[in-house]
Amino acid sequence: MGAFEGKTAVVTGASTGIGLATARRFVDEGAHVFITGRRRPELENAAAALGPSATPIVGDIAESADLDRLYAAVRERGRGLDVLFANAGNATFAPLAQATEDDYERNLNVNVRGTWLTIQKALPLFNTRAAVVVNASVRATDGLENFGLYSASKAAVRSLAQTWANELKDSGIRVNTVSPGAIDTPALERIIGAEAAVAFKTDSAKQVPIGRLGTPEEVASAVAFLASDEASFIYGTNLYIDGGELQF
């Protein structure tokens, strides 16, 4: 029997990368997973790959109405919500002198407001001993140039999650965060282009003590642990998944 047998999970940003790998882990461990993402073709492909234990709901976490549709589908299934992986996010990169108000809105509106709405709107659905895992980033604290707005948004997410862990503990809802480091996902190609992504990944791997990028599946394993009953005494923590990048 899997760790999530008979449970219901929601994974945002589940079309590719970390979100898809985590949704697959939950399905393999027995959960029914509601997956959401903004791009319909990719989301439908993900659902087809995951099989009948996945329900796709197209939507943007920064849009309140889209989240309402997602949680209406969860409510209609009638089994509540046991696990929420708030993974969806956005990234635009620019130095202070060149960043625009639009860059600010894209980073903060999705990563902070969208994550806040994702958790807030899920509250009425949570079953006893539910678990929330929020995707932050090692970039929240390392001061990497050009990452200012993105890093600030992820620092805000980590702060919010710690507060939520305290606020929700008496309801039996556990909240924790994961902070992935340099992970090999398709997102970077979409953001900066394929050629630039190859160079960026090569340079990033050199900064990782173990000498390589992480995989979405390695992040998914950490998320699955924090979401499982094996982590029942873990509240408000932040787990680095970075190959030692910020540890040495």
Side-chain angles (χ1 to χ4, degrees):
M1 180 178 293
F4 302 100
E5 194 71 36
K7 294 189 175 183
T8 302
V10 164
V11 178
T12 65
S15 299
T16 61
I18 292 170
L20 177 56
T22 304
R24 182 178 291 113
R25 179 65 178 263
F26 288 155
V27 166
D28 289 347
E29 294 279 356
H32 186 94
V33 183
F34 288 83
I35 60 173
T36 187
R38 291 176 291 182
R39 298 180 302 279
R40 182 179 296 276
E42 288 91 338
L43 188 69
E44 291 179 348
N45 287 340
L50 293 170
S53 292
T55 300
I57 306 291
V58 178
D60 184 340
I61 64 165
E63 298 294 333
S64 184
D66 287 358
L67 286 170
D68 289 340
R69 286 192 301 103
L70 167 65
Y71 291 130
V74 176
R75 185 177 296 106
E76 185 176 350
R77 187 165 181 266
R79 298 189 182 182
L81 181 58
D82 300 291
V83 176
L84 170 56
F85 180 34
N87 169 67
N90 189 49
T92 57
F93 308 117
L96 175 61
Q98 298 173 16
T100 66
E101 291 183 27
D102 193 42
D103 292 331
Y104 178 94
E105 292 296 336
R106 283 199 296 268
N107 279 290
L108 277 294
N109 193 43
V110 175
N111 297 348
V112 182
R113 179 178 178 274
T115 301
W116 167 65
L117 285 172
T118 297
I119 310 303
Q120 185 187 65
K121 287 179 174 291
L123 291 177
L125 292 170
F126 282 126
N127 293 325
T128 303
R129 299 178 67 185
V132 175
V133 182
V134 181
N135 194 354
S137 172
V138 298
R139 303 283 85 89
T141 58
D142 69 351
L144 188 65
E145 61 183 14
N146 300 328
F147 276 68
L149 291 172
Y150 175 78
S151 297
S153 71
K154 289 301 187 177
V157 163
R158 281 179 53 176
S159 177
L160 285 170
Q162 193 168 27
T163 300
W164 296 334
N166 190 30
E167 290 178 347
L168 299 177
K169 66 183 185 302
D170 292 338
S171 300
I173 301 169
R174 292 186 302 107
V175 182
N176 293 288
T177 63
V178 291
S179 285
I183 308 298
D184 191 359
T185 75
L188 197 59
E189 281 84 351
R190 293 196 306 270
I191 296 169
I192 65 175
E195 185 174 345
V198 171
F200 185 86
K201 288 179 181 181
T202 300
D203 290 342
S204 296
K206 295 176 182 177
Q207 307 305 313
V208 180
I210 64 170
R212 65 170 176 85
L213 302 181
T215 68
E217 289 73 22
E218 288 173 315
V219 180
S221 293
V223 174
F225 166 68
L226 288 175
S228 74
D229 290 340
E230 292 184 352
S232 58
F233 199 56
I234 302 177
Y235 282 72
T237 197
N238 175 63
L239 177 59
Y240 288 102
I241 312 159
D242 65 354
E245 186 178 355
L246 293 190
Q247 316 311 315
F248 306 128

